[in-house]
mmCIF file of all heavy atoms in Angstrom:
data_model
loop_
_atom_site.group_PDB
_atom_site.id
_atom_site.type_symbol
_atom_site.label_atom_id
_atom_site.label_comp_id
_atom_site.label_asym_id
_atom_site.label_seq_id
_atom_site.Cartn_x
_atom_site.Cartn_y
_atom_site.Cartn_z
ATOM 1 N N ARG F 69 -36.437 -49.506 72.284
ATOM 2 C CA ARG F 69 -36.678 -48.268 71.516
ATOM 3 C C ARG F 69 -38.085 -47.792 71.740
ATOM 4 O O ARG F 69 -38.359 -46.592 71.933
ATOM 5 C CB ARG F 69 -36.373 -48.442 70.046
ATOM 6 C CG ARG F 69 -36.721 -47.149 69.348
ATOM 7 C CD ARG F 69 -36.244 -47.069 67.911
ATOM 8 N NE ARG F 69 -34.815 -47.271 67.745
ATOM 9 C CZ ARG F 69 -34.260 -47.110 66.573
ATOM 10 N NH1 ARG F 69 -34.948 -46.781 65.502
ATOM 11 N NH2 ARG F 69 -32.950 -47.301 66.452
ATOM 12 N N LEU F 70 -39.064 -48.741 71.709
ATOM 13 C CA LEU F 70 -40.478 -48.346 71.954
ATOM 14 C C LEU F 70 -40.619 -47.738 73.329
ATOM 15 O O LEU F 70 -41.327 -46.735 73.481
ATOM 16 C CB LEU F 70 -41.391 -49.562 71.767
ATOM 17 C CG LEU F 70 -41.449 -50.199 70.365
ATOM 18 C CD1 LEU F 70 -42.482 -51.299 70.323
ATOM 19 C CD2 LEU F 70 -41.762 -49.124 69.320
ATOM 20 N N GLY F 71 -39.898 -48.327 74.263
ATOM 21 C CA GLY F 71 -39.976 -47.787 75.633
ATOM 22 C C GLY F 71 -39.501 -46.360 75.736
ATOM 23 O O GLY F 71 -40.096 -45.503 76.339
ATOM 24 N N ARG F 72 -38.375 -46.112 75.019
ATOM 25 C CA ARG F 72 -37.846 -44.747 75.006
ATOM 26 C C ARG F 72 -38.836 -43.787 74.350
ATOM 27 O O ARG F 72 -39.061 -42.681 74.825
ATOM 28 C CB ARG F 72 -36.516 -44.753 74.166
ATOM 29 C CG ARG F 72 -35.966 -43.366 73.868
ATOM 30 C CD ARG F 72 -34.554 -43.428 73.407
ATOM 31 N NE ARG F 72 -34.378 -44.085 72.106
ATOM 32 C CZ ARG F 72 -34.561 -43.468 70.954
ATOM 33 N NH1 ARG F 72 -34.961 -42.218 70.929
ATOM 34 N NH2 ARG F 72 -34.390 -44.061 69.783
ATOM 35 N N LEU F 73 -39.490 -44.260 73.245
ATOM 36 C CA LEU F 73 -40.478 -43.382 72.558
ATOM 37 C C LEU F 73 -41.650 -43.093 73.493
ATOM 38 O O LEU F 73 -42.167 -41.982 73.569
ATOM 39 C CB LEU F 73 -40.928 -44.019 71.229
ATOM 40 C CG LEU F 73 -39.850 -44.120 70.171
ATOM 41 C CD1 LEU F 73 -40.355 -44.907 68.987
ATOM 42 C CD2 LEU F 73 -39.400 -42.753 69.729
ATOM 43 N N HIS F 74 -42.134 -44.144 74.208
ATOM 44 C CA HIS F 74 -43.261 -43.985 75.084
ATOM 45 C C HIS F 74 -42.992 -42.895 76.115
ATOM 46 O O HIS F 74 -43.746 -42.014 76.356
ATOM 47 C CB HIS F 74 -43.600 -45.287 75.782
ATOM 48 C CG HIS F 74 -44.383 -46.218 74.901
ATOM 49 N ND1 HIS F 74 -44.101 -47.566 74.819
ATOM 50 C CD2 HIS F 74 -45.399 -46.001 74.106
ATOM 51 C CE1 HIS F 74 -44.949 -48.155 73.950
ATOM 52 N NE2 HIS F 74 -45.772 -47.208 73.482
ATOM 53 N N ALA F 75 -41.748 -43.022 76.713
ATOM 54 C CA ALA F 75 -41.374 -42.073 77.769
ATOM 55 C C ALA F 75 -41.289 -40.680 77.195
ATOM 56 O O ALA F 75 -41.744 -39.675 77.790
ATOM 57 C CB ALA F 75 -40.013 -42.518 78.412
ATOM 58 N N ASP F 76 -40.669 -40.602 76.005
ATOM 59 C CA ASP F 76 -40.420 -39.322 75.383
ATOM 60 C C ASP F 76 -41.750 -38.624 75.049
ATOM 61 O O ASP F 76 -41.958 -37.446 75.422
ATOM 62 C CB ASP F 76 -39.613 -39.540 74.096
ATOM 63 C CG ASP F 76 -39.264 -38.238 73.420
ATOM 64 O OD1 ASP F 76 -39.165 -37.238 74.101
ATOM 65 O OD2 ASP F 76 -39.095 -38.267 72.135
ATOM 66 N N TYR F 77 -42.696 -39.374 74.449
ATOM 67 C CA TYR F 77 -43.979 -38.757 74.093
ATOM 68 C C TYR F 77 -44.840 -38.426 75.321
ATOM 69 O O TYR F 77 -45.598 -37.446 75.329
ATOM 70 C CB TYR F 77 -44.734 -39.661 73.106
ATOM 71 C CG TYR F 77 -44.034 -39.823 71.813
ATOM 72 C CD1 TYR F 77 -44.089 -41.025 71.098
ATOM 73 C CD2 TYR F 77 -43.309 -38.808 71.225
ATOM 74 C CE1 TYR F 77 -43.402 -41.184 69.897
ATOM 75 C CE2 TYR F 77 -42.640 -38.939 70.026
ATOM 76 C CZ TYR F 77 -42.698 -40.130 69.372
ATOM 77 O OH TYR F 77 -42.055 -40.296 68.170
ATOM 78 N N ALA F 78 -44.720 -39.328 76.331
ATOM 79 C CA ALA F 78 -45.483 -39.037 77.564
ATOM 80 C C ALA F 78 -45.074 -37.708 78.155
ATOM 81 O O ALA F 78 -45.914 -36.890 78.580
ATOM 82 C CB ALA F 78 -45.315 -40.159 78.601
ATOM 83 N N LYS F 79 -43.731 -37.465 78.087
ATOM 84 C CA LYS F 79 -43.233 -36.231 78.628
ATOM 85 C C LYS F 79 -43.678 -34.993 77.802
ATOM 86 O O LYS F 79 -44.114 -33.978 78.262
ATOM 87 C CB LYS F 79 -41.694 -36.279 78.723
ATOM 88 C CG LYS F 79 -41.123 -35.362 79.794
ATOM 89 C CD LYS F 79 -39.743 -35.784 80.214
ATOM 90 C CE LYS F 79 -38.693 -35.267 79.231
ATOM 91 N NZ LYS F 79 -37.456 -36.039 79.251
ATOM 92 N N ARG F 80 -43.554 -35.188 76.441
ATOM 93 C CA ARG F 80 -43.829 -34.058 75.592
ATOM 94 C C ARG F 80 -45.295 -33.727 75.481
ATOM 95 O O ARG F 80 -45.685 -32.560 75.366
ATOM 96 C CB ARG F 80 -43.311 -34.380 74.178
ATOM 97 C CG ARG F 80 -41.937 -33.780 73.927
ATOM 98 C CD ARG F 80 -41.344 -34.253 72.625
ATOM 99 N NE ARG F 80 -42.107 -33.861 71.454
ATOM 100 C CZ ARG F 80 -41.894 -34.404 70.282
ATOM 101 N NH1 ARG F 80 -41.021 -35.308 70.110
ATOM 102 N NH2 ARG F 80 -42.631 -34.001 69.231
ATOM 103 N N PHE F 81 -46.180 -34.762 75.468
ATOM 104 C CA PHE F 81 -47.577 -34.475 75.245
ATOM 105 C C PHE F 81 -48.429 -34.651 76.498
ATOM 106 O O PHE F 81 -49.649 -34.420 76.476
ATOM 107 C CB PHE F 81 -48.108 -35.345 74.095
ATOM 108 C CG PHE F 81 -47.458 -35.089 72.789
ATOM 109 C CD1 PHE F 81 -46.404 -35.876 72.342
ATOM 110 C CD2 PHE F 81 -47.897 -34.053 71.986
ATOM 111 C CE1 PHE F 81 -45.801 -35.605 71.100
ATOM 112 C CE2 PHE F 81 -47.321 -33.751 70.748
ATOM 113 C CZ PHE F 81 -46.249 -34.541 70.366
ATOM 114 N N GLY F 82 -47.820 -35.183 77.566
ATOM 115 C CA GLY F 82 -48.554 -35.359 78.779
ATOM 116 C C GLY F 82 -49.695 -36.315 78.676
ATOM 117 O O GLY F 82 -50.735 -36.222 79.326
ATOM 118 N N THR F 83 -49.585 -37.304 77.757
ATOM 119 C CA THR F 83 -50.640 -38.306 77.598
ATOM 120 C C THR F 83 -49.999 -39.633 77.210
ATOM 121 O O THR F 83 -48.906 -39.693 76.614
ATOM 122 C CB THR F 83 -51.654 -37.842 76.540
ATOM 123 O OG1 THR F 83 -52.311 -38.980 76.003
ATOM 124 C CG2 THR F 83 -50.998 -37.124 75.388
ATOM 125 N N GLN F 84 -50.716 -40.708 77.552
ATOM 126 C CA GLN F 84 -50.192 -42.047 77.216
ATOM 127 C C GLN F 84 -50.435 -42.344 75.755
ATOM 128 O O GLN F 84 -51.520 -42.176 75.246
ATOM 129 C CB GLN F 84 -50.888 -43.095 78.080
ATOM 130 C CG GLN F 84 -50.284 -43.222 79.482
ATOM 131 C CD GLN F 84 -48.779 -43.438 79.462
ATOM 132 O OE1 GLN F 84 -48.317 -44.328 78.746
ATOM 133 N NE2 GLN F 84 -48.055 -42.636 80.201
ATOM 134 N N VAL F 85 -49.393 -42.851 75.050
ATOM 135 C CA VAL F 85 -49.567 -43.253 73.680
ATOM 136 C C VAL F 85 -49.154 -44.710 73.515
ATOM 137 O O VAL F 85 -48.548 -45.282 74.409
ATOM 138 C CB VAL F 85 -48.718 -42.412 72.730
ATOM 139 C CG1 VAL F 85 -49.057 -40.934 72.937
ATOM 140 C CG2 VAL F 85 -47.239 -42.669 72.943
ATOM 141 N N GLN F 86 -49.555 -45.332 72.442
ATOM 142 C CA GLN F 86 -49.239 -46.717 72.165
ATOM 143 C C GLN F 86 -48.440 -46.804 70.861
ATOM 144 O O GLN F 86 -49.033 -46.634 69.800
ATOM 145 C CB GLN F 86 -50.558 -47.504 72.074
ATOM 146 C CG GLN F 86 -50.340 -48.986 72.077
ATOM 147 C CD GLN F 86 -49.435 -49.533 73.201
ATOM 148 O OE1 GLN F 86 -49.699 -49.150 74.382
ATOM 149 N NE2 GLN F 86 -48.429 -50.279 72.914
ATOM 150 N N VAL F 87 -47.141 -46.961 70.971
ATOM 151 C CA VAL F 87 -46.343 -47.123 69.743
ATOM 152 C C VAL F 87 -46.088 -48.543 69.497
ATOM 153 O O VAL F 87 -45.520 -49.237 70.306
ATOM 154 C CB VAL F 87 -44.960 -46.370 69.893
ATOM 155 C CG1 VAL F 87 -44.259 -46.322 68.578
ATOM 156 C CG2 VAL F 87 -45.135 -44.981 70.451
ATOM 157 N N ALA F 227 -51.454 -31.420 71.824
ATOM 158 C CA ALA F 227 -51.568 -32.675 72.568
ATOM 159 C C ALA F 227 -53.000 -33.227 72.541
ATOM 160 O O ALA F 227 -53.197 -34.411 72.461
ATOM 161 C CB ALA F 227 -51.121 -32.436 74.002
ATOM 162 N N LEU F 230 -53.601 -35.295 69.394
ATOM 163 C CA LEU F 230 -52.665 -36.343 69.053
ATOM 164 C C LEU F 230 -53.399 -37.702 68.877
ATOM 165 O O LEU F 230 -54.257 -38.023 69.729
ATOM 166 C CB LEU F 230 -51.631 -36.469 70.196
ATOM 167 C CG LEU F 230 -50.378 -37.301 69.913
ATOM 168 C CD1 LEU F 230 -49.519 -36.564 68.898
ATOM 169 C CD2 LEU F 230 -49.611 -37.575 71.182
ATOM 170 N N PRO F 232 -53.144 -41.288 69.554
ATOM 171 C CA PRO F 232 -52.258 -42.071 70.417
ATOM 172 C C PRO F 232 -51.945 -43.476 69.826
ATOM 173 O O PRO F 232 -51.098 -44.191 70.371
ATOM 174 C CB PRO F 232 -53.016 -42.152 71.738
ATOM 175 C CG PRO F 232 -54.432 -42.044 71.371
ATOM 176 C CD PRO F 232 -54.503 -41.227 70.076
ATOM 177 N N MET F 234 -50.165 -45.451 67.497
ATOM 178 C CA MET F 234 -49.033 -45.153 66.575
ATOM 179 C C MET F 234 -48.308 -46.376 66.184
ATOM 180 O O MET F 234 -48.304 -47.415 66.836
ATOM 181 C CB MET F 234 -48.048 -44.231 67.305
ATOM 182 C CG MET F 234 -48.661 -42.932 67.751
ATOM 183 S SD MET F 234 -47.464 -42.059 68.778
ATOM 184 C CE MET F 234 -48.469 -40.614 69.285
ATOM 185 N N ARG F 240 -45.929 -41.879 64.313
ATOM 186 C CA ARG F 240 -45.473 -41.292 65.580
ATOM 187 C C ARG F 240 -44.920 -39.882 65.341
ATOM 188 O O ARG F 240 -44.443 -39.598 64.188
ATOM 189 C CB ARG F 240 -44.405 -42.162 66.224
ATOM 190 C CG ARG F 240 -43.103 -42.248 65.460
ATOM 191 C CD ARG F 240 -42.144 -43.130 66.217
ATOM 192 N NE ARG F 240 -40.939 -43.443 65.526
ATOM 193 C CZ ARG F 240 -39.802 -42.786 65.648
ATOM 194 N NH1 ARG F 240 -39.711 -41.691 66.387
ATOM 195 N NH2 ARG F 240 -38.730 -43.166 64.962
ATOM 196 N N PRO F 241 -44.998 -39.007 66.300
ATOM 197 C CA PRO F 241 -44.531 -37.610 66.040
ATOM 198 C C PRO F 241 -43.095 -37.631 65.576
ATOM 199 O O PRO F 241 -42.245 -38.353 66.041
ATOM 200 C CB PRO F 241 -44.677 -36.958 67.406
ATOM 201 C CG PRO F 241 -45.733 -37.719 68.071
ATOM 202 C CD PRO F 241 -45.583 -39.145 67.620
#
Side-chain angles (χ1 to χ4, degrees):
Chain F
R69 177 169 303 185
L70 296 184
R72 170 165 67 81
L73 293 173
H74 282 136
D76 183 27
Y77 295 145
K79 205 160 81 202
R80 264 172 61 195
F81 296 97
T83 156
Q84 278 306 310
V85 304
Q86 191 52 49
V87 189
L230 194 70
M234 300 172 184
R240 69 179 170 94

